[in-house]
Amino acid sequence: MAEQHTPRSLIVTLYGAYGRTPDDTPLAVAELIRLLGALGVDAPSVRSSVSRLKRRGLLVPERTARGAAGYALSAEARQLLDDGDRRIYARPAPELSEGWVLAVFTVPESERHKRHLLRSRLGRLGFGTAAPGVWIAPGRLYEETRHTLRRLRLDSYVDLFSGQHLGFEATADAVARWWDLDAIATQHEEFLDAHEPVLRAWESRGAGAGAASGSGTGSAEDAYRDYLLALDSWRHLPYADPGLPAELLPKNWPGERSAEVFNRLHTRLRDLGLAFVERPVTEE
């Protein structure tokens, strides 16, 4: 996982962290430019990325309460972010007893583009490949998989099964075939390399004196920037890593440590950064 914080990804991360309100209040364009500017994104890049997200149906244009141009989340985008919360913030301790969910699909040659879409979506849900056309994931991912395939209208091509692995090889050996564990471990290590020093720096200076003022060491803007960049990196990892039981993973697996680092950054910085997000801005 290279540290590539694209403008579109950062906008999605921003809405996920701070842009969901009970009444789905839109964010003004001027506000988006200010908030993305703090992350090094210029105004033209913000505007072009918002346009792309609008075309994809994730953002919808709405006026703010003061009549300024703005964008709110679409119903689909809100659902995607709500679904993502369970992966990003509420990852349960995996247990071998939960079993597995298998996805077996057949797509006619005339619709082979849907075959690619299915493979891509199952991979993004965290499925590994047990055999050609047979995908596997921890059993707790069943509901999310079912919901996602129905939303994408791919359910008619797929059969889902639940069960246990009964051999012949050891389950840990099979898991090493079903997933590229080295690649997943590398993503965790890259996250740690980028964000563990940030956590140490914040913890070394206490609770972030001056956060409310928005200036100086530990400012609200510092917290906002460090949190958004960490969240933008982290939110992809719980999908690449399906959350396998510890007994099936190599020794010194870095996943637990990277999750702890993110959770500590979230606890320390999310609300500190809110003071910067809520700072008044001149709307345009």
Side-chain angles (χ1 to χ4, degrees):
M1 177 190 62
E3 289 287 299
Q4 295 179 345
H5 301 288
T6 67
R8 268 183 288 177
S9 180
L10 287 168
I11 290 170
V12 172
T13 300
L14 170 62
Y15 273 92
Y18 297 112
R20 282 177 285 175
T21 59
D23 56 354
D24 289 326
T25 303
L27 284 173
V29 173
E31 183 75 348
L32 287 169
I33 289 172
R34 177 181 75 89
L35 293 172
L36 272 294
L39 302 170
V41 181
D42 60 30
S45 296
V46 173
R47 292 183 187 277
S48 64
S49 297
V50 165
S51 294
R52 291 189 183 98
L53 291 167
K54 175 187 171 184
R55 286 196 297 270
R56 289 179 56 192
L58 298 178
L59 294 180
V60 292
E62 286 188 16
R63 293 281 171 179
T64 69
R66 295 172 58 185
Y71 287 87
L73 291 166
S74 68
E76 177 186 357
R78 181 68 182 251
Q79 183 64 60
L80 287 171
L81 291 173
D82 290 348
D83 286 347
D85 286 351
R86 290 187 285 275
R87 293 265 194 139
I88 296 167
Y89 303 110
R91 198 168 172 87
E95 296 182 3
L96 191 57
S97 61
E98 72 185 0
W100 305 94
V101 57
L102 280 82
V104 180
F105 64 83
T106 303
V107 180
E109 186 62 25
S110 60
E111 298 180 277
R112 56 186 172 185
H113 64 285
K114 292 187 177 180
R115 188 182 308 145
H116 172 75
L117 179 58
L118 260 169
R119 289 170 177 160
S120 173
R121 182 57 59 175
L122 289 172
R124 288 170 61 185
L125 284 167
F127 277 70
T129 308
V134 180
W135 294 66
I136 188 167
R140 71 177 180 283
L141 299 185
Y142 163 70
E143 287 293 345
E144 183 180 357
T145 301
R146 183 172 175 271
H147 168 77
T148 299
L149 295 178
R150 280 194 165 174
R151 179 175 54 81
L152 295 174
R153 298 178 181 173
L154 295 170
D155 51 304
S156 62
Y157 303 98
V158 183
D159 286 305
L160 297 177
F161 302 87
S162 66
Q164 304 293 324
H165 179 244
L166 301 178
F168 292 90
E169 66 182 326
T171 303
D173 294 337
V175 160
R177 286 192 297 103
W178 300 338
W179 283 274
D180 187 344
L181 296 180
D182 288 341
I184 296 171
T186 296
Q187 292 186 52
H188 283 296
E189 288 160 359
E190 288 175 349
F191 177 85
L192 288 165
D193 289 344
H195 300 287
E196 194 168 31
V198 175
L199 175 64
R200 286 200 298 266
W202 276 97
E203 291 183 336
S204 71
R205 61 193 180 195
S213 68
S215 61
T217 301
S219 72
E221 184 173 352
D222 291 335
Y224 162 80
R225 183 186 304 109
D226 288 346
Y227 177 60
L228 254 291
L229 293 175
L231 177 57
D232 193 57
S233 296
W234 170 258
R235 69 183 180 88
H236 304 284
L237 252 172
Y239 290 91
D241 180 347
L244 298 167
E247 58 264 44
L248 301 180
L249 293 168
K251 292 181 179 179
N252 302 315
W253 181 253
E256 184 175 346
R257 188 158 62 97
S258 69
E260 180 185 359
V261 166
F262 171 72
N263 288 332
R264 285 160 64 184
L265 283 168
H266 172 72
T267 299
R268 179 172 291 269
L269 300 183
R270 194 271 174 189
D271 289 345
L272 288 177
L274 185 60
F276 177 72
V277 174
E278 294 180 339
R279 185 178 299 167
V281 64
T282 301
E283 298 179 343
E284 46 176 50

